[in-house]
Amino acid sequence: MKDFEPSIIAFVCNWCTYTAADLAGTSRLSYPRNIRLIRVMCTGMIDPQYVIKAFLEGADGVLVSGCHPGDCHYINGNYKARRRIKLLKEILPRFGFEPERLRLTWIGASDGIQFAEIMRELVTQVKTLGPNSAKLKMVI
Amino acid sequence: MLNSYKLETKDKELLESLQIFFRSILELDEISAILVPKLLPMKNMVMPVLITDPAQLDNVDPLSPAFPMNTSKIVSRLSRKPIGGKIAVVLRPCEIRAFVELVKLKQGCIDEIVIIGIDCLGAYKNRDYFLFASEDEKGSTQRFYSSVLSGKGASFDNIDLAPACSVCEQPIPGYTDILIGLYGMDINDHILIQPKTPTGESILSRLKLPETEEPLKRKEAIDTLINERTACRDRMFAETTEATDNLEKLTTYLASCVNCYNCRVACPVCYCKECVFVTDVFNHEPSQYLRWAERKGQIKMPTDTVFYHITRLAHMSTACIGCGQCSNACPNDIPVMELFRTVAHKTQKAFEYEAGRNIEQKPPLSEFREEEFDEVVGIS
């Protein structure tokens, strides 16, 4: 599995984590190219079905990342996201998706360094988990 | 503690006594109508019927093992705007639980509804009911309740309770204005009528029913039944978990699904007015299918089957009340109820929620607290 390069879908909020990713870029910090960012206005708009779709399409990991508690630009979207992640972590592992494949983090707009570090760590973790089985088999 | 009353059944058939009871409620000034399962005049089938004329109460049959739909959807339809009069609704416990969920989702209103909950004797699958009732519906209902209430069970020939009913650990109405108690009662003498709310008490106090006490053997009968059902339920949970614990097994479990979405239509708590799966979001470009097929060399059609079921689990499992209408509606006999109840049990537990139990408690995904579920945050 040495050559396994995971695909990780990261849903990031416009105001905090996306801005942190931008800061990481403008600061010339590097992080693995396995992460595919999807910018959303707020983590509170991430319907569980986006995460489910990503996994069924073969994503090896999914990250949802938004503003720290209390910092949400829409007041409470990140709290709603946290409940949905809790829900998905009850459902997806029952069907063989390891809970570690789904992550929720809070990365603030000024945390460019932290963003790059978390992405590196996440890729290492998903590499040890190996490929998502949905990638290899026919999913109906 | 509110008084208990008895409904005499001496020298009468049980259904007849219930019809007399419903008539006395419908004749009260403030009750405009009663919604109750009734044997249809044109076919050997029992359906919810909205009755305003007390003379139309013969052939009312809330004990039949027919369960063609979860009537909470009808009550929701009747109460989504002010009705202009109180309606008494005779419901099974799972129908009450579903209605409670719909009220919380603002798809129904309790204000003009008087709930009459009845001890549930269970029901057959639609197809089995037709086999069981065949020509003689009235006689078949009597055969059914006599057997169940005398402890001989609900199985006749090769017909047995629907899977959802055989694992139902909540056969006694929880949230109700008036309770009709059957288990542990001597049905040839009287059955139990209990008010559970001030509304129920105000109605019953005017019916001049004789007072009584809940017999001890009723509690015993209920405890025994619930223990048996809970054991069956837990066995079903274990079997279903085993049968779906990886993606390959889950796809096998759902392999005969044709994306008809009947389970969603029949589900009383699938609350979206328009399901995303029937919108243009899933009306993919023809070329998209080709691209998907090319990725693995093949793609099963119709697509998005597992996606649909897992999404529905995410959307409504915290509201699942276990009525089993999903399985009843499946044209290909997929054990949908088993999968949904098994997952729902876990998701509801995760949020310390029990669907349909407490009308004051908000649905888990409609609220949040600032300090909670820290264990799902972070990457370590």
Side-chain angles (χ1 to χ4, degrees), chain A residues 54 60 68 73 93 104 108:
Chain A
D60 300 295
H68 285 275
H73 289 47
L104 172 68

Side-chain angles (χ1 to χ4, degrees), chain B residues 15 61 63-65 132 137-146:
Chain B
L15 281 180
D61 185 357
L63 303 178
S64 160
F132 176 74
E137 199 282 338
K138 267 185 168 165
S140 68
T141 297
Q142 197 173 3
R143 205 149 53 101
F144 175 73
Y145 73 68
S146 307

Side-chain angles (χ1 to χ4, degrees), chain B residues 78-363:
Chain B
L78 285 170
S79 66
R80 68 186 177 87
K81 287 181 180 172
I83 317 167
K86 282 209 170 209
I87 298 183
V89 296
V90 181
L91 297 176
R92 294 177 186 273
C94 61
E95 295 175 322
I96 299 176
R97 296 199 296 278
F99 183 60
V100 166
E101 287 301 304
L102 290 172
V103 169
K104 293 185 199 190
L105 294 161
K106 312 267 187 290
Q107 296 194 7
C109 178
I110 199 85
D111 294 352
E112 292 178 292
I113 298 293
V114 177
I115 300 177
I116 303 175
I118 190 158
D119 277 7
C120 186
L121 308 181
Y124 298 132
K125 288 194 278 193
N126 284 345
R127 265 170 276 182
D128 288 345
Y129 169 74
F130 287 121
L131 291 175
F132 176 74
S134 53
E135 297 303 309
D136 176 21
E137 199 282 338
K138 267 185 168 165
S140 68
T141 297
Q142 197 173 3
R143 205 149 53 101
F144 175 73
Y145 73 68
S146 307
S147 176
V148 173
L149 290 172
S150 63
K152 292 196 201 94
S155 105
F156 288 91
D157 303 325
N158 292 321
I159 300 171
D160 209 338
L161 287 186
C165 301
S166 64
V167 299
C168 173
E169 78 290 38
Q170 298 184 70
I172 311 299
Y175 184 87
T176 184
D177 293 299
I178 294 171
L179 172 98
I180 301 179
L182 303 170
Y183 286 111
M185 305 302 295
D186 178 6
I187 56 164
N188 296 316
D189 188 73
H190 70 273
I191 58 171
L192 189 71
I193 306 286
Q194 277 181 328
K196 294 287 182 187
T197 61
T199 309
E201 173 62 35
S202 112
I203 288 174
L204 290 180
S205 61
R206 277 174 287 155
L207 299 188
K208 308 269 183 301
L209 293 168
E211 289 189 16
T212 185
E213 299 222 329
E214 183 169 344
L216 205 60
K217 67 173 180 174
R218 171 165 162 80
K219 195 182 173 314
E220 285 164 12
I222 292 172
D223 286 348
T224 311
L225 180 68
I226 290 176
N227 287 339
E228 280 171 18
R229 294 275 181 81
T230 308
C232 288
R233 181 200 73 176
D234 291 345
R235 265 200 307 280
M236 180 276 280
F237 284 165
E239 284 164 16
T240 310
T241 301
E242 213 282 315
T244 55
D245 63 6
N246 63 43
L247 191 56
E248 206 168 356
K249 286 191 193 169
L250 181 67
T251 55
T252 310
Y253 194 90
L254 298 169
S256 48
C257 176
V258 290
N259 293 34
C260 68
Y261 306 138
N262 281 4
C263 47
R264 164 180 67 70
V265 176
C267 178
V269 295
C270 227
Y271 49 84
C272 296
K273 288 293 173 191
E274 184 181 35
C275 177
V276 64
F277 282 89
V278 297
T279 62
D280 276 351
V281 174
F282 286 87
N283 195 9
H284 308 297
E285 289 296 317
S287 58
Q288 177 74 61
Y289 294 105
L290 207 57
R291 286 200 296 278
W292 276 331
E294 278 167 354
R295 224 168 32 184
K296 288 179 194 170
Q298 58 176 358
I299 187 171
K300 175 254 169 193
M301 301 291 279
T303 57
D304 303 311
T305 305
V306 170
F307 184 28
Y308 159 71
H309 287 284
I310 303 184
T311 299
R312 212 167 80 80
L313 280 168
H315 284 176
M316 57 54 72
S317 70
T318 53
C320 175
I321 45 79
C323 66
Q325 285 298 345
C326 46
S327 285
N328 214 2
C330 180
N332 291 340
D333 292 327
I334 298 169
V336 191
M337 175 283 296
E338 284 84 341
L339 177 63
F340 276 67
R341 271 217 71 185
T342 303
V343 175
H345 185 66
K346 293 288 172 198
T347 55
Q348 293 180 19
K349 222 173 179 176
F351 293 102
E352 292 169 0
Y353 186 79
E354 206 183 304
R357 190 175 57 85
N358 179 353
I359 205 161
E360 305 297 336
Q361 190 184 8
K362 284 188 179 169

